């Protein structure tokens, strides 16, 4: 089964839930193993790391995500209204591209985004409108 890492701004979690719920429908062709980070990585105080990837204190998060990306066949980049400025999304794209080609990356707008552009690293790739069937075809 194809493994997919979904890179996104956490403000767009509702769309991640849509993708995950449609995968549970046996009548829909969208099937893949989700390699995305299941839960936030917390610091020693139990707080979610909100530091940029360049911060030394983000090393545990970088290691966990890098391992997931290295084991992923494909990268789905969801582009919401603010994704273009998300340092973590840019970092994830960069890390994925160390092991994979652009052919394994799908860049797709969230349904509420009709104007924002793609983040650095995938700007020259086609930016598709929201379409779960397109994701299913791309994964297969």
């Amino acid at each position: 089964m194809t493994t997919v890492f979904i890179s996104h701004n956490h403000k767009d979690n509702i769309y991640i839930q849509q993708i995950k719920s449609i995968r549970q429908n046996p009548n829909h062709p969208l099937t893949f193993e989700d390699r995305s980070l299941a839960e936030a990585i917390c610091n020693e105080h139990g707080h979610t790391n909100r530091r940029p990837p360049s911060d030394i204190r983000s090393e545990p998060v970088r290691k966990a995500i890098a391992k997931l990306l290295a084991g992923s066949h494909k990268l789905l980049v969801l582009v919401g209204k603010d994704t273009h400025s998300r340092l973590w999304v840019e970092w994830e794209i960069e890390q994925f591209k160390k092991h994979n080609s652009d052919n394994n990356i799908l860049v797709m707008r969230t349904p509420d985004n009709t104007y924002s552009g793609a983040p650095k690293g995938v700007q020259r790739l086609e930016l598709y409108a929201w379409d779960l069937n397109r994701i299913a075809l791309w994964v297969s």
Side-chain angles (χ1 to χ4, degrees):
M1 179 178 289
T2 301
T3 56
V4 177
F5 186 96
I6 304 172
S7 184
H8 69 290
N9 179 347
H10 288 282
K11 290 180 183 177
D12 300 320
N13 278 345
I14 186 171
Y15 305 113
I16 299 297
Q17 294 310 314
Q18 284 182 18
I19 292 169
K20 289 181 178 185
S21 67
I22 200 76
R23 282 180 37 233
Q24 304 304 315
N25 180 347
N27 298 319
H28 196 280
L30 181 57
T31 59
F32 64 89
E33 180 184 337
D34 184 7
R35 296 286 298 172
S36 305
L37 197 58
E39 295 180 19
I41 307 242
C42 296
N43 63 19
E44 64 275 7
H45 304 291
H47 300 122
T48 300
N49 179 0
R50 303 220 185 272
R51 302 184 189 298
S54 59
D55 190 308
I56 190 70
R57 293 168 286 190
S58 295
E59 185 174 356
V61 180
R62 285 193 311 267
K63 282 184 175 181
I65 293 174
K67 182 177 179 181
L68 293 170
L69 285 164
S72 298
H73 298 112
K74 297 191 178 251
L75 176 68
L76 172 59
V77 180
L78 294 185
V79 180
K81 294 177 182 176
D82 297 319
T83 307
H84 64 281
S85 63
R86 293 312 207 197
L87 296 176
W88 277 104
V89 171
E90 289 179 11
W91 182 86
E92 290 165 353
I93 292 166
E94 180 183 304
Q95 294 301 305
F96 184 81
K97 289 173 107 177
K98 287 181 179 180
H99 306 285
N100 296 280
S101 73
D102 286 351
N103 294 336
N104 295 327
I105 301 174
L106 178 65
V107 187
M108 184 171 286
R109 291 183 192 275
T110 57
D112 66 341
N113 176 21
T114 57
Y115 59 88
S116 295
K120 193 167 105 178
V122 292
Q123 291 174 334
R124 62 183 181 85
L125 298 179
E126 187 164 353
L127 179 55
Y128 294 97
W130 182 256
D131 183 349
L132 294 174
N133 289 323
R134 178 177 296 280
I135 298 172
L137 287 171
W138 171 73
V139 168
S140 64

